[in-house]
Amino acid sequence: MLRKIKNKLKSGSVLVYTLIILFVLLSMALSIASVTVIEKKSALTTGKSNQAFQVADSGAEIIMQAVRKGSYDTISEMADAYDGADCYRGVMTADISGGKIRVTFFDKEDGGDPIDNCENSFSSVRRIKSVGSYEGSVRAVEVAVAAQGDSGI
């Protein structure tokens, strides 16, 4: 009789050990799945952030090219020439490369308030800040502008 009880206890303990091992394996699988999902989201966010940076940089490049060529006298002329762009209180906004840019113009290289009038001449622009947004990610690029006629352009 005692032997039967011991055998039943032994056979019951195998079930407990099996359940413990299965629980540990399930925990490991869930942890790996969780890390995979987090890394995938991180990779998507990085891609969107890179695209937002590219949009901001493209906005700065467009403005720098217009300043270098001297093809526009005022900020509003440049905004009018660029399809879909708008200028309000010295800030130009436009859709570009699937994202949006917001370019702020400054008349001083170090600090200072932004230019608040779209009719200001491009020759007074000394610094621009281009903010690009793409699917919720926002990045900014700030560039110093050499005066027209400077050899730096």
XYZ file of all heavy atoms in Angstrom, residues 93-137:
339
model
N 5.566 77.829 -45.607
C 5.188 76.431 -45.435
C 4.916 75.823 -46.806
O 4.454 76.514 -47.708
C 3.930 76.282 -44.555
O 2.869 77.040 -45.137
C 4.184 76.762 -43.140
N 5.214 74.536 -46.929
C 4.983 73.847 -48.210
C 4.967 72.345 -47.979
O 5.486 71.846 -46.978
C 6.069 74.209 -49.214
N 4.358 71.634 -48.909
C 4.407 70.178 -48.934
C 5.562 69.774 -49.830
O 5.724 70.309 -50.923
C 3.106 69.592 -49.484
C 1.925 69.862 -48.564
O 2.148 70.024 -47.355
O 0.786 69.903 -49.056
N 6.363 68.821 -49.352
C 7.523 68.401 -50.118
C 7.855 66.950 -49.774
O 7.837 66.567 -48.613
C 8.733 69.314 -49.832
C 9.951 68.917 -50.641
C 9.090 69.327 -48.387
C 11.092 69.888 -50.543
N 8.098 66.147 -50.760
C 8.541 64.748 -50.584
C 7.659 63.958 -49.633
O 8.148 63.179 -48.831
C 9.987 64.710 -50.084
O 10.831 65.388 -50.964
N 6.369 64.164 -49.685
C 5.460 63.424 -48.814
C 5.382 63.973 -47.404
O 4.668 63.446 -46.555
N 6.121 65.039 -47.115
C 6.098 65.649 -45.787
C 5.773 67.128 -45.898
O 5.372 67.619 -46.948
N 5.949 67.838 -44.799
C 5.677 69.275 -44.781
C 6.908 69.996 -44.234
O 7.564 69.525 -43.313
C 4.482 69.577 -43.888
C 3.187 68.993 -44.402
C 2.023 69.452 -43.525
C 0.726 68.875 -43.995
N 0.288 69.304 -45.291
N 7.198 71.158 -44.844
C 8.283 71.992 -44.319
C 7.709 73.295 -43.793
O 6.670 73.768 -44.250
C 9.371 72.299 -45.377
C 8.775 72.985 -46.612
C 10.154 71.081 -45.729
C 9.811 73.576 -47.534
N 8.403 73.843 -42.826
C 8.077 75.147 -42.262
C 9.406 75.876 -42.111
O 10.235 75.495 -41.288
C 7.396 74.973 -40.914
C 6.950 76.254 -40.282
C 6.166 75.932 -39.002
N 5.375 77.046 -38.594
C 5.798 77.992 -37.775
N 7.017 77.939 -37.282
N 5.014 78.992 -37.449
N 9.614 76.878 -42.959
C 10.893 77.583 -42.987
C 10.727 78.957 -42.347
O 9.863 79.739 -42.753
C 11.423 77.737 -44.434
C 12.764 78.438 -44.441
C 11.522 76.381 -45.106
N 11.561 79.223 -41.343
C 11.571 80.510 -40.660
C 12.853 81.234 -41.046
O 13.933 80.646 -41.056
C 11.516 80.314 -39.132
O 10.403 79.477 -38.814
C 11.368 81.636 -38.414
N 12.735 82.511 -41.355
C 13.864 83.321 -41.810
C 14.293 84.272 -40.694
O 13.462 84.855 -40.002
C 13.462 84.142 -43.042
C 13.008 83.292 -44.194
C 11.674 82.920 -44.315
C 13.913 82.845 -45.136
C 11.255 82.134 -45.373
C 13.501 82.059 -46.195
C 12.172 81.690 -46.316
N 15.607 84.448 -40.550
C 16.161 85.345 -39.534
C 17.088 86.351 -40.207
O 17.778 86.014 -41.167
C 16.955 84.548 -38.488
C 16.117 83.577 -37.708
C 15.897 82.297 -38.195
C 15.547 83.940 -36.511
C 15.127 81.393 -37.485
C 14.783 83.050 -35.794
C 14.561 81.771 -36.280
N 17.127 87.578 -39.668
C 17.986 88.599 -40.262
C 19.295 88.779 -39.503
O 20.102 89.621 -39.840
C 17.249 89.937 -40.385
C 16.742 90.465 -39.059
O 16.964 89.814 -38.018
O 16.102 91.530 -39.067
N 19.523 87.999 -38.467
C 20.780 88.047 -37.721
C 21.337 86.637 -37.623
O 20.590 85.663 -37.517
C 20.557 88.608 -36.320
C 20.124 90.054 -36.324
C 19.951 90.560 -34.928
C 19.472 92.004 -34.963
N 19.096 92.493 -33.661
N 22.666 86.523 -37.647
C 23.284 85.203 -37.583
C 23.197 84.603 -36.187
O 23.006 83.407 -36.040
C 24.743 85.293 -38.023
C 24.878 85.567 -39.498
C 26.321 85.653 -39.936
O 27.182 85.082 -39.260
O 26.566 86.293 -40.958
N 23.357 85.413 -35.152
C 23.353 84.906 -33.783
C 22.091 85.357 -33.066
O 21.969 86.516 -32.677
C 24.571 85.427 -33.012
C 25.866 85.003 -33.666
O 25.877 83.930 -34.286
O 26.855 85.739 -33.555
N 21.161 84.429 -32.892
C 19.939 84.736 -32.162
C 19.069 85.737 -32.880
O 19.107 85.875 -34.086
N 18.301 86.462 -32.101
C 17.418 87.463 -32.682
C 16.068 86.888 -33.045
O 15.876 85.682 -33.144
N 15.139 87.782 -33.246
C 13.787 87.381 -33.610
C 13.717 87.059 -35.091
O 14.470 87.602 -35.900
C 12.801 88.512 -33.285
C 12.697 88.763 -31.785
O 12.853 87.800 -31.021
O 12.467 89.924 -31.392
N 12.784 86.202 -35.469
C 12.640 85.890 -36.897
C 12.051 87.069 -37.675
O 11.409 87.951 -37.105
C 11.680 84.701 -36.911
C 10.986 84.719 -35.600
C 11.889 85.414 -34.635
N 12.288 87.063 -38.964
C 11.673 88.062 -39.845
C 10.177 87.792 -39.843
O 9.744 86.659 -40.017
C 12.249 87.941 -41.277
C 13.737 88.292 -41.266
C 11.473 88.796 -42.246
C 14.443 88.020 -42.573
N 9.381 88.851 -39.627
C 7.938 88.630 -39.505
C 7.138 89.200 -40.674
O 5.947 89.423 -40.578
C 7.418 89.186 -38.187
C 7.597 90.685 -38.074
O 8.215 91.283 -38.972
O 7.118 91.251 -37.082
N 7.827 89.429 -41.807
C 7.144 89.991 -42.961
C 7.634 89.286 -44.224
O 8.821 89.258 -44.508
C 7.436 91.501 -43.043
C 6.649 92.175 -44.134
O 6.035 91.534 -44.977
N 6.682 93.495 -44.120
N 6.707 88.733 -44.983
C 7.061 88.007 -46.215
C 7.570 88.931 -47.310
O 8.122 88.457 -48.299
C 5.852 87.218 -46.727
S 5.405 85.854 -45.650
N 7.391 90.225 -47.153
C 7.847 91.175 -48.172
C 9.289 91.595 -47.948
O 9.819 92.390 -48.715
C 6.927 92.406 -48.200
C 5.494 92.078 -48.575
C 5.372 91.288 -49.885
O 6.070 91.614 -50.862
O 4.581 90.325 -49.911
N 9.936 91.048 -46.923
C 11.358 91.353 -46.710
C 12.185 90.780 -47.851
O 11.858 89.747 -48.421
C 11.844 90.746 -45.392
C 11.548 91.633 -44.218
O 10.562 92.352 -44.211
N 12.380 91.554 -43.203
N 13.270 91.453 -48.124
C 14.161 91.039 -49.201
C 14.980 89.820 -48.775
O 15.323 89.670 -47.601
C 15.102 92.193 -49.527
O 16.111 91.751 -50.391
N 15.299 88.975 -49.750
C 16.168 87.839 -49.473
C 17.556 88.303 -49.032
O 18.256 87.597 -48.326
C 16.312 86.952 -50.715
C 15.440 85.742 -50.686
C 14.685 85.405 -51.792
C 15.386 84.922 -49.580
C 13.886 84.281 -51.784
C 14.602 83.793 -49.559
C 13.847 83.468 -50.658
N 17.952 89.484 -49.455
C 19.283 89.967 -49.097
C 19.424 90.212 -47.590
O 20.532 90.246 -47.075
C 19.616 91.245 -49.870
O 18.711 92.278 -49.525
N 18.300 90.349 -46.870
C 18.370 90.558 -45.423
C 18.408 89.241 -44.647
O 18.648 89.236 -43.443
C 17.180 91.399 -44.953
O 15.970 90.674 -45.127
N 18.209 88.126 -45.319
C 18.192 86.815 -44.645
C 19.618 86.384 -44.341
O 20.471 86.327 -45.218
C 17.481 85.753 -45.522
C 17.577 84.387 -44.881
C 16.034 86.137 -45.755
N 19.894 86.087 -43.073
C 21.212 85.641 -42.643
C 21.195 84.211 -42.094
O 22.233 83.577 -41.985
C 21.776 86.567 -41.563
C 22.088 87.941 -42.083
C 23.259 87.867 -43.053
N 23.456 89.132 -43.715
C 23.136 89.380 -44.970
N 22.588 88.449 -45.711
N 23.345 90.553 -45.512
N 20.020 83.724 -41.744
C 19.910 82.387 -41.168
C 18.511 81.866 -41.451
O 17.556 82.640 -41.445
C 20.151 82.485 -39.659
C 20.223 81.200 -38.919
C 20.734 81.407 -37.482
N 20.025 82.423 -36.743
C 19.043 82.172 -35.869
N 18.654 80.954 -35.647
N 18.447 83.148 -35.229
N 18.392 80.565 -41.721
C 17.070 79.969 -41.887
C 16.981 78.719 -41.014
O 17.980 78.051 -40.744
C 16.764 79.593 -43.358
C 17.771 78.592 -43.892
C 16.696 80.804 -44.235
C 17.403 78.028 -45.244
N 15.764 78.471 -40.584
C 15.484 77.249 -39.824
C 14.389 76.515 -40.578
O 13.285 77.031 -40.743
C 15.025 77.581 -38.406
C 14.730 76.347 -37.580
C 14.318 76.712 -36.167
C 14.052 75.470 -35.360
N 13.635 75.808 -33.991
N 14.702 75.313 -41.035
C 13.752 74.502 -41.780
C 13.321 73.333 -40.902
O 14.155 72.537 -40.460
C 14.403 73.985 -43.063
O 13.513 73.148 -43.764
N 12.021 73.239 -40.635
C 11.475 72.159 -39.822
C 10.684 71.242 -40.746
O 9.753 71.681 -41.413
C 10.564 72.709 -38.692
C 9.962 71.574 -37.894
C 11.339 73.660 -37.797
N 11.076 69.973 -40.774
C 10.393 68.995 -41.606
C 9.577 68.042 -40.755
O 10.023 67.623 -39.681
N 8.383 67.713 -41.214
C 7.568 66.722 -40.497
C 7.113 65.657 -41.488
O 6.783 65.956 -42.639
C 6.372 67.387 -39.825
O 5.541 68.003 -40.775
N 7.136 64.415 -41.008
C 6.739 63.284 -41.833
C 6.079 62.249 -40.933
O 6.726 61.703 -40.034
C 7.959 62.685 -42.540
C 7.638 61.503 -43.416
C 7.108 61.687 -44.679
C 7.846 60.207 -42.970
C 6.804 60.604 -45.490
C 7.547 59.122 -43.770
C 7.030 59.322 -45.023
O 6.728 58.250 -45.817
N 4.799 62.023 -41.147
C 4.014 61.031 -40.405
C 4.257 61.114 -38.893
O 4.517 60.113 -38.234
C 4.314 59.630 -40.920
C 3.813 59.390 -42.325
C 3.971 57.949 -42.774
O 4.234 57.065 -41.925
O 3.826 57.709 -43.976
N 4.206 62.307 -38.359
C 4.317 62.494 -36.910
C 5.719 62.743 -36.398
O 5.898 63.186 -35.270
N 6.752 62.463 -37.180
C 8.125 62.738 -36.764
C 8.510 64.132 -37.234
O 8.168 64.540 -38.338
C 9.090 61.720 -37.371
O 8.881 60.457 -36.807
